[in-house]
């Protein structure tokens, strides 16, 4: 995709053009694009550590990211229009003025400052605007293998499209939300702790 070569290049380039237009539309709606580089840590069987840096600005990364956001937007519109109980992700706009980039500072400093200003997202059964994504409504559906809430959304979609009642009614969905939200939070915290542990182990080699 980056080179524009290969049998599928024309299709991929058209898709990336679509993704770029989507990004621009969301920016105009107030979306905030914070593309922080991600560090992937690999632990070998013998305990050896290796780090790789994933660039979030590559065309492929941006294309996949925008496709995932689009899937969540379409799913949210479908759930709302069909009155199917779902877990909507919402985020209110920040109270103050967001900081501007400072060329004298590393980009990571700006990203950190922006994240401190943004309000924490919330989940509920009623649709609402998601400020950072620039969307009127959003539902997470793209990771059913690792997020139980996404899996539950797939159950809802499959049930209704099969001509059956929704797998969960509103009361059951509320119970599911309450029981899984803390587990989601604990999972993310464990993941951050693991990354920090192995990052420190990697840095220890340079002492």
């Amino acid at each position: 995709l980056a080179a524009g070569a290969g049998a599928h290049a024309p299709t991929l380039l058209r898709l990336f053009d679509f993704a770029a237009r989507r990004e621009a539309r969301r920016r105009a709606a107030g979306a905030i694009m914070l593309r922080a580089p991600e560090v992937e840590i690999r632990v070998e069987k013998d305990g050896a550590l290796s780090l790789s840096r994933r660039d979030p600005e590559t065309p492929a990364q941006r294309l996949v990211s925008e496709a995932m956001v689009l899937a969540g937007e379409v799913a949210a519109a479908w759930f709302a229009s069909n009155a199917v109980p779902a877990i909507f992700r919402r985020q209110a706009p920040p109270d103050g003025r967001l900081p501007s980039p400072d060329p004298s500072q590393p980009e990571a400093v700006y990203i950190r400052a922006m994240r401190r200003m943004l309000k924490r997202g919330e989940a509920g059964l009623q649709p609402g605007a998601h400020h950072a994504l620039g969307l009127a409504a959003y539902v997470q559906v793209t990771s059913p293998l690792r997020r139980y809430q996404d899996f539950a959304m797939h159950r809802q979609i499959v049930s209704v499209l099969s001509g059956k009642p929704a797998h969960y009614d509103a009361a059951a969905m509320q119970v599911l939300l309450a029981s899984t939200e803390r587990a989601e939070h604990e999972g993310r915290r464990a993941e951050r702790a693991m990354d920090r542990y192995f990052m420190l182990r990697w840095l220890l080699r340079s002492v």
Side-chain angles (χ1 to χ4, degrees):
L1 178 57
H8 303 293
T11 300
L12 290 173
L13 289 170
R14 285 198 299 272
L15 287 171
F16 178 69
D17 178 65
F18 171 73
R21 291 170 186 265
R22 283 266 314 171
E23 282 184 5
R25 192 178 78 174
R26 291 197 299 110
R27 281 183 189 273
I32 300 171
M33 307 293 181
L34 292 179
R35 295 196 180 97
E38 295 183 25
V39 176
E40 295 184 343
I41 304 171
R42 183 177 180 84
V43 184
E44 305 296 344
K45 289 183 178 180
D46 60 359
L49 300 175
S50 62
L51 267 63
S52 61
R53 182 179 184 273
R54 188 165 64 185
D55 183 3
E57 292 288 352
T58 65
Q61 192 79 15
R62 289 174 59 190
L63 172 56
V64 171
S65 176
E66 196 59 41
M68 294 172 71
V69 173
L70 174 60
E73 181 183 15
V74 171
W78 183 85
F79 280 119
S81 64
N82 289 279
V84 177
I87 298 173
F88 293 89
R89 294 283 163 179
R90 306 183 295 259
Q91 185 188 49
D95 293 326
R97 184 178 179 181
L98 294 174
S100 299
D102 184 351
S104 66
Q105 296 282 352
E107 185 181 18
V109 175
Y110 165 70
I111 291 175
R112 174 69 172 171
M114 286 285 286
R115 285 178 171 168
R116 288 174 64 88
M117 287 289 295
L118 294 176
K119 289 189 176 180
R120 184 184 296 275
E122 59 180 18
L125 269 57
Q126 296 301 318
H130 195 295
H131 177 75
L133 293 177
L135 299 178
Y138 179 69
V139 171
Q140 286 184 328
V141 293
T142 56
S143 298
L145 295 181
R146 68 181 181 89
R147 280 198 300 254
Y148 192 82
Q149 290 181 0
D150 294 33
F151 176 63
M153 299 304 97
H154 281 238
R155 276 180 164 170
Q156 296 290 80
I157 294 170
V158 170
S159 293
V160 174
L161 292 183
S162 300
K164 303 173 185 176
H167 190 86
Y168 304 95
D169 60 16
M173 185 62 72
Q174 187 63 54
V175 171
L176 186 145
L177 170 60
S179 62
T180 58
E181 192 68 7
R182 181 171 180 81
E184 294 261 349
H185 174 74
E186 292 297 327
R188 289 191 296 269
R189 189 172 72 169
E191 186 177 9
R192 289 194 298 268
M194 181 187 68
D195 288 345
R196 180 176 175 82
Y197 170 79
F198 283 113
M199 180 70 75
L200 292 173
R201 285 279 304 275
W202 188 83
L203 290 171
L204 186 63
R205 304 184 310 178
S206 301
V207 174

